[in-house]
Amino acid sequence: MPITCPIVARSMSTAQFGELDYRVMRHAFDSQNELGRLCDEQVYRNDLAARLAAAGVGTVRMEVPITVRHRDFSKVYRMDLVLDDGAVYELKANASLVPDHDAQLLNYLFLFGAARGKLVNFRPPQVEARFVNNPLTTEARSLTTADTTRWREPDAESALLREIMTALLEDWGGFLDFALYTEALTHFLGGEQRVLQPVPLCRNGIALGNQRLRLLNADTAFRVTALADEAEGYEPQLQALLRHSPLRAIQWINLARHRVQYITLSNDPRRKAAE
């Protein structure tokens, strides 16, 4: 199985989750009141789990692993707290919650197959929390279409990149953390040591230093993003990076929800000659 977990996600209604969460948050506030705001995440996790278990607030599991596999690649994620096998809690000790935290928890919900989770942050003066809901079933995540209208394959490595990405999406579905796909692609293309290389950047003949990029070969880099609405603004940034490098192209894979865009960005030899 490409995605495995030692427990099976239990279906939980909004009302059931709300009733459970009311009890959880009482203990979260008690934990911060007694321990203060300066502890590490694992301290709050252990304390909250102990309080919930002592109070009989359902089944409490910590650090529940989810393993994602494809051929000889594997990556393990760990969910901080899973209550009653259906409610996922991700605990933080940060100045504030940020969108990356929502994305992390949503990634866990997708992989686990749970409908609801909650972020709980113990660092602010008052415990900060917000709900994260999973809008997609596993089957819905698998419904992706490939847009290759702007894709070119001038070399074997570019063809291999698309082939591997297609296989990953068939195995795992879409919508997962784009860093997972990047890590898997890097693995199958030869590993971090071979793929992640320094590339010299130059402006008007002035050497600017090296930029570490993921390379398919000496002439071509690749990048994976998950931009649903911001891809148009991101493309000029990639073009600027490419323009100041000796590379011939960047192969860009953008996971835009159900549409996967394969885009080849080429360096303009006329502009390079002018520099």
Side-chain angles (χ1 to χ4, degrees):
M1 293 289 291
I3 301 172
T4 57
C5 182
I7 60 175
V8 177
R10 184 173 75 86
S11 177
M12 185 175 289
S13 69
T14 302
Q16 289 173 323
F17 187 91
E19 182 180 348
L20 175 65
D21 182 66
Y22 178 77
R23 302 176 68 189
V24 171
M25 291 310 297
R26 287 175 54 196
H27 291 288
F29 283 112
D30 289 344
S31 180
Q32 191 202 51
N33 287 337
E34 187 165 346
L35 299 179
R37 300 190 288 119
L38 304 181
C39 296
D40 291 337
E41 290 175 15
Q42 66 175 3
V43 174
Y44 293 116
R45 182 199 66 211
N46 295 340
D47 186 59
L48 181 57
R51 290 172 183 272
L52 294 172
V57 185
T59 304
V60 181
R61 305 182 193 273
M62 292 192 298
E63 292 286 280
V64 178
I66 304 174
T67 304
V68 185
R69 294 186 177 88
H70 181 78
R71 289 163 43 193
D72 64 341
F73 171 84
S74 67
K75 183 177 180 65
V76 178
Y77 295 96
R78 295 188 182 276
M79 298 180 284
D80 281 344
L81 287 178
V82 179
L83 307 181
D84 278 354
D85 295 348
V88 181
Y89 283 79
E90 180 64 22
L91 309 183
K92 297 297 178 185
N94 292 77
S96 63
L97 294 174
V98 298
D100 282 350
H101 297 146
D102 297 70
Q104 178 189 7
L105 178 52
L106 185 58
N107 188 59
Y108 293 166
L109 296 178
F110 283 150
L111 292 169
F112 184 43
R116 296 168 183 85
K118 194 170 189 180
L119 294 165
V120 181
N121 185 19
F122 291 89
R123 185 72 79 230
Q126 184 174 356
V127 173
E128 179 187 18
R130 63 173 174 248
F131 295 103
V132 176
N133 295 319
N134 175 2
L136 298 172
T137 64
T138 300
E139 292 73 20
R141 286 198 305 103
S142 299
L143 300 176
T144 61
T145 58
D147 179 356
T148 59
T149 55
R150 297 179 59 195
W151 180 257
R152 303 292 179 270
E153 294 179 356
D155 47 55
E157 293 87 354
S158 294
L160 179 61
L161 177 70
R162 187 169 65 88
E163 177 184 319
I164 297 170
M165 190 68 196
T166 299
L168 294 176
L169 290 168
E170 288 176 352
D171 220 5
W172 301 340
F175 291 83
L176 301 178
D177 180 10
F178 74 90
L180 172 65
Y181 301 105
T182 299
E183 189 174 335
L185 289 168
T186 299
H187 170 81
F188 290 115
L189 291 167
E192 193 96 342
Q193 190 171 0
R194 177 193 175 279
V195 172
L196 193 58
Q197 296 293 331
V199 175
L201 299 186
C202 178
R203 180 185 61 80
N204 296 331
I206 302 171
L208 303 176
N210 292 328
Q211 175 83 22
R212 286 167 66 81
L213 297 173
R214 296 180 189 275
L215 300 184
L216 292 173
N217 52 50
D219 297 319
T220 308
F222 75 91
R223 180 158 297 198
V224 180
T225 58
L227 303 171
D229 304 310
E230 303 86 7
E232 186 175 339
Y234 190 76
E235 182 170 339
Q237 307 307 313
L238 283 178
Q239 289 282 16
L241 185 63
L242 178 60
R243 185 169 63 250
H244 293 93
S245 80
L247 296 174
R248 182 182 61 196
I250 294 179
Q251 298 287 32
W252 178 24
I253 301 174
N254 183 43
L255 305 167
R257 298 193 178 104
H258 288 287
R259 183 167 65 116
V260 181
Q261 298 172 289
Y262 293 87
I263 300 172
T264 300
L265 301 177
S266 299
N267 223 336
D268 187 343
R270 293 167 298 178
R271 182 177 293 151
K272 295 294 290 183
E275 293 179 356

